[in-house]
Amino acid sequence: MEGTGGSSASATAAAGPPVNQWVQEFSKLFQHYLDKSTPHSTYRWIGTFVIASIYVLRVFYIQGFYIVSYGLGIYMLNLLIGFLSPLVDPELEPSDGGPLLPTKGSDEFKPFIRRLPEFKFW
């Protein structure tokens, strides 16, 4: 009994680290390619629309996946609203005279800061 428990414990311990190591290496590689694609926003959006078009055609021809597509559409709409919304809503922010313009040379006027950055939206 002890030999069986010891061998199974060593087998699970041996199987765990390679999987974790593979996930860690894949995560680093994925992050590397994400970092390389950051300055190429036009190509990222073109690729996103191509993949979305392929998905729409797949749903149309298979005549299925409607519930999944509905959920995905709601999620994408939520991301779009976050992308188009300002970080701070001027109507909800308590201020006496509304948004203020910069009064000194060191002040920076930022008219619109997105709640969700473009790269996270993508």
Side-chain angles (χ1 to χ4, degrees), residues 34-71:
L34 276 179
D35 292 341
K36 285 181 75 171
S37 72
T38 300
H40 308 291
S41 62
T42 305
Y43 298 120
R44 280 188 287 126
W45 283 107
I46 289 171
T48 301
F49 287 124
V50 166
I51 290 172
S53 301
I54 291 170
Y55 178 77
V56 168
L57 288 173
R58 179 178 182 259
V59 168
F60 180 73
Y61 285 122
I62 293 178
Q63 300 289 319
F65 298 103
Y66 294 118
I67 295 175
V68 174
S69 300
Y70 181 73

Coordinates of all heavy atoms in Angstrom, one line a residue, residues 34-71:
L34 N 2.0 39.8 -28.5 CA 1.1 40.9 -28.3 C 1.8 42.2 -28.2 O 1.4 43.3 -28.7 CB 0.3 40.7 -26.9 CG -0.9 39.9 -27.0 CD1 -1.5 39.8 -25.6 CD2 -1.9 40.4 -27.9
D35 N 3.0 42.2 -27.6 CA 3.8 43.4 -27.5 C 4.3 43.9 -28.9 O 4.4 45.1 -29.1 CB 5.0 43.2 -26.5 CG 4.6 43.0 -25.1 OD1 3.4 43.5 -24.8 OD2 5.4 42.5 -24.3
K36 N 4.6 42.9 -29.7 CA 5.1 43.2 -31.1 C 4.0 43.8 -31.9 O 4.2 44.6 -32.8 CB 5.7 42.0 -31.7 CG 7.1 41.7 -31.2 CD 7.6 40.5 -31.9 CE 8.1 40.9 -33.3 NZ 8.9 39.8 -34.0
S37 N 2.7 43.4 -31.7 CA 1.6 43.8 -32.5 C 1.0 45.2 -32.0 O 0.2 45.7 -32.7 CB 0.5 42.8 -32.5 OG -0.1 42.7 -31.2
T38 N 1.5 45.7 -30.9 CA 0.9 46.9 -30.3 C 1.0 48.1 -31.3 O 0.0 48.8 -31.5 CB 1.6 47.3 -29.0 OG1 1.4 46.2 -28.1 CG2 1.0 48.5 -28.4
P39 N 2.1 48.4 -31.9 CA 2.1 49.6 -32.8 C 1.3 49.4 -34.1 O 1.0 50.4 -34.8 CB 3.6 49.8 -33.1 CG 4.3 48.6 -32.7 CD 3.4 47.8 -31.8
H40 N 0.9 48.2 -34.5 CA 0.3 48.0 -35.7 C -1.3 47.9 -35.5 O -1.8 46.8 -35.8 CB 0.8 46.7 -36.4 CG 2.3 46.7 -36.5 ND1 3.0 47.5 -37.3 CD2 3.2 46.0 -35.8 CE1 4.3 47.3 -37.2 NE2 4.5 46.4 -36.2
S41 N -1.9 49.0 -35.2 CA -3.3 48.9 -34.8 C -4.2 48.6 -36.1 O -5.2 47.9 -36.0 CB -3.8 50.2 -34.2 OG -3.6 51.3 -35.0
T42 N -3.8 49.2 -37.2 CA -4.6 48.9 -38.4 C -4.7 47.5 -38.8 O -5.7 46.9 -39.1 CB -4.1 49.7 -39.6 OG1 -4.0 51.1 -39.2 CG2 -4.9 49.6 -40.8
Y43 N -3.5 46.8 -38.8 CA -3.5 45.4 -39.1 C -4.2 44.5 -38.1 O -4.8 43.5 -38.4 CB -2.0 44.9 -39.3 CG -1.3 45.6 -40.4 CD1 -0.2 46.4 -40.2 CD2 -1.8 45.5 -41.7 CE1 0.5 47.1 -41.2 CE2 -1.2 46.2 -42.7 CZ 0.0 47.0 -42.5 OH 0.6 47.6 -43.5
R44 N -4.1 44.9 -36.8 CA -4.8 44.2 -35.8 C -6.3 44.3 -36.0 O -7.1 43.3 -35.9 CB -4.5 44.8 -34.4 CG -3.2 44.3 -33.8 CD -3.1 44.7 -32.4 NE -2.8 46.2 -32.3 CZ -3.5 47.0 -31.5 NH1 -4.5 46.6 -30.8 NH2 -3.2 48.3 -31.5
W45 N -6.9 45.5 -36.3 CA -8.3 45.6 -36.6 C -8.7 44.9 -37.8 O -9.8 44.3 -37.9 CB -8.7 47.1 -36.6 CG -8.7 47.7 -35.2 CD1 -7.9 48.5 -34.7 CD2 -9.7 47.4 -34.2 NE1 -8.2 48.8 -33.4 CE2 -9.4 48.1 -33.1 CE3 -10.8 46.6 -34.2 CZ2 -10.1 48.1 -31.9 CZ3 -11.6 46.6 -33.0 CH2 -11.2 47.3 -31.9
I46 N -7.9 44.9 -38.9 CA -8.2 44.2 -40.1 C -8.3 42.7 -39.8 O -9.3 42.0 -40.2 CB -7.2 44.5 -41.2 CG1 -7.4 45.9 -41.7 CG2 -7.4 43.5 -42.3 CD1 -6.3 46.4 -42.7
G47 N -7.3 42.2 -39.1 CA -7.4 40.8 -38.7 C -8.6 40.4 -37.8 O -9.2 39.3 -38.0
T48 N -8.9 41.3 -36.9 CA -10.1 41.1 -36.1 C -11.4 41.0 -36.9 O -12.2 40.1 -36.7 CB -10.2 42.2 -35.0 OG1 -9.0 42.2 -34.2 CG2 -11.4 42.0 -34.1
F49 N -11.5 41.9 -37.9 CA -12.7 41.9 -38.7 C -12.7 40.7 -39.6 O -13.8 40.1 -39.9 CB -12.8 43.2 -39.5 CG -13.3 44.3 -38.7 CD1 -12.5 45.5 -38.6 CD2 -14.4 44.3 -37.9 CE1 -12.9 46.5 -37.8 CE2 -14.8 45.4 -37.1 CZ -14.0 46.5 -37.1
V50 N -11.6 40.2 -40.1 CA -11.5 39.0 -40.9 C -12.0 37.8 -40.1 O -12.8 37.0 -40.5 CB -10.1 38.8 -41.5 CG1 -10.0 37.4 -42.1 CG2 -9.8 39.8 -42.5
I51 N -11.5 37.7 -38.9 CA -11.9 36.5 -38.0 C -13.3 36.6 -37.6 O -14.0 35.6 -37.6 CB -11.0 36.5 -36.7 CG1 -9.5 36.1 -37.1 CG2 -11.5 35.5 -35.7 CD1 -8.5 36.2 -36.0
A52 N -13.8 37.8 -37.4 CA -15.3 38.0 -37.0 C -16.1 37.6 -38.3 O -17.2 37.0 -38.1 CB -15.5 39.4 -36.6
S53 N -15.7 38.0 -39.5 CA -16.4 37.6 -40.7 C -16.5 36.1 -40.9 O -17.5 35.6 -41.3 CB -15.8 38.3 -41.9 OG -15.8 39.7 -41.7
I54 N -15.4 35.5 -40.6 CA -15.3 34.0 -40.7 C -16.3 33.4 -39.8 O -17.0 32.4 -40.1 CB -13.9 33.5 -40.6 CG1 -13.0 33.9 -41.7 CG2 -13.8 32.0 -40.4 CD1 -11.5 33.6 -41.5
Y55 N -16.3 33.9 -38.5 CA -17.2 33.4 -37.5 C -18.7 33.6 -37.9 O -19.5 32.7 -37.8 CB -17.0 34.0 -36.2 CG -17.9 33.5 -35.1 CD1 -17.7 32.3 -34.5 CD2 -19.0 34.3 -34.7 CE1 -18.6 31.8 -33.5 CE2 -19.9 33.8 -33.7 CZ -19.7 32.6 -33.1 OH -20.5 32.1 -32.2
V56 N -19.0 34.8 -38.5 CA -20.4 35.0 -38.9 C -20.8 34.1 -40.0 O -21.9 33.6 -40.1 CB -20.5 36.5 -39.3 CG1 -21.8 36.8 -40.0 CG2 -20.4 37.4 -38.1
L57 N -19.9 33.9 -41.0 CA -20.2 33.0 -42.1 C -20.4 31.6 -41.6 O -21.2 30.8 -42.1 CB -19.1 33.0 -43.1 CG -19.0 34.3 -44.0 CD1 -17.8 34.3 -44.9 CD2 -20.3 34.4 -44.8
R58 N -19.6 31.2 -40.6 CA -19.7 29.8 -40.1 C -21.0 29.6 -39.4 O -21.7 28.6 -39.6 CB -18.6 29.6 -39.1 CG -18.6 28.3 -38.4 CD -17.4 28.1 -37.4 NE -17.4 26.8 -36.8 CZ -17.8 26.6 -35.6 NH1 -18.3 27.6 -34.8 NH2 -17.8 25.4 -35.1
V59 N -21.5 30.6 -38.6 CA -22.8 30.6 -37.9 C -23.9 30.5 -39.0 O -24.9 29.8 -38.9 CB -22.9 31.7 -37.0 CG1 -24.4 31.8 -36.5 CG2 -22.0 31.6 -35.8
F60 N -23.7 31.3 -40.0 CA -24.8 31.4 -41.1 C -24.9 30.1 -41.8 O -26.0 29.6 -42.1 CB -24.4 32.5 -42.1 CG -25.4 32.6 -43.2 CD1 -26.7 33.2 -42.9 CD2 -25.1 32.2 -44.5 CE1 -27.6 33.3 -44.0 CE2 -26.0 32.4 -45.5 CZ -27.3 32.9 -45.2
Y61 N -23.8 29.4 -42.2 CA -23.8 28.2 -42.9 C -24.2 27.0 -42.1 O -24.9 26.1 -42.6 CB -22.5 28.0 -43.7 CG -22.4 28.8 -44.9 CD1 -21.3 29.7 -45.0 CD2 -23.3 28.8 -45.9 CE1 -21.2 30.5 -46.1 CE2 -23.2 29.6 -47.0 CZ -22.1 30.5 -47.1 OH -22.0 31.3 -48.2
I62 N -23.8 27.0 -40.9 CA -24.1 25.8 -40.0 C -25.5 25.9 -39.4 O -26.1 24.9 -39.1 CB -23.0 25.7 -38.9 CG1 -21.7 25.3 -39.5 CG2 -23.4 24.7 -37.8 CD1 -20.5 25.2 -38.5
Q63 N -26.0 27.1 -39.3 CA -27.3 27.4 -38.8 C -27.4 27.0 -37.3 O -28.3 26.3 -36.8 CB -28.4 26.7 -39.6 CG -28.5 27.1 -41.0 CD -29.1 28.4 -41.2 OE1 -30.0 28.8 -40.5 NE2 -28.5 29.2 -42.1
G64 N -26.3 27.4 -36.6 CA -26.3 27.0 -35.1 C -25.5 28.1 -34.4 O -25.1 29.1 -34.9
F65 N -25.2 27.8 -33.1 CA -24.4 28.6 -32.2 C -25.1 30.0 -32.0 O -24.4 31.0 -31.8 CB -23.0 28.8 -32.8 CG -22.2 27.5 -32.9 CD1 -22.0 27.0 -34.2 CD2 -21.7 26.9 -31.8 CE1 -21.3 25.8 -34.3 CE2 -20.9 25.8 -31.9 CZ -20.8 25.2 -33.2
Y66 N -26.4 30.0 -32.0 CA -27.0 31.3 -31.9 C -26.9 31.8 -30.4 O -26.7 33.0 -30.2 CB -28.5 31.2 -32.2 CG -28.7 30.9 -33.7 CD1 -29.3 29.8 -34.1 CD2 -28.3 31.8 -34.7 CE1 -29.5 29.5 -35.5 CE2 -28.4 31.6 -36.0 CZ -29.0 30.4 -36.4 OH -29.2 30.2 -37.7
I67 N -27.0 31.0 -29.4 CA -26.9 31.4 -28.0 C -25.5 31.9 -27.7 O -25.3 32.9 -27.1 CB -27.4 30.3 -27.1 CG1 -28.8 30.0 -27.3 CG2 -27.1 30.6 -25.6 CD1 -29.4 28.8 -26.5
V68 N -24.5 31.2 -28.2 CA -23.1 31.6 -28.1 C -22.9 32.9 -28.7 O -22.3 33.8 -28.2 CB -22.2 30.5 -28.6 CG1 -20.7 31.0 -28.5 CG2 -22.3 29.2 -27.8
S69 N -23.4 33.1 -29.9 CA -23.2 34.3 -30.7 C -24.0 35.5 -30.0 O -23.5 36.6 -29.9 CB -23.8 34.2 -32.1 OG -23.1 33.2 -32.8
Y70 N -25.1 35.2 -29.4 CA -25.8 36.2 -28.7 C -25.0 36.7 -27.4 O -24.9 37.9 -27.2 CB -27.2 35.7 -28.2 CG -28.1 36.6 -27.5 CD1 -28.7 37.7 -28.1 CD2 -28.3 36.5 -26.1 CE1 -29.5 38.6 -27.5 CE2 -29.1 37.4 -25.4 CZ -29.7 38.4 -26.1 OH -30.4 39.3 -25.4
G71 N -24.5 35.7 -26.7 CA -23.7 36.1 -25.5 C -22.4 36.8 -26.0 O -22.0 37.8 -25.3

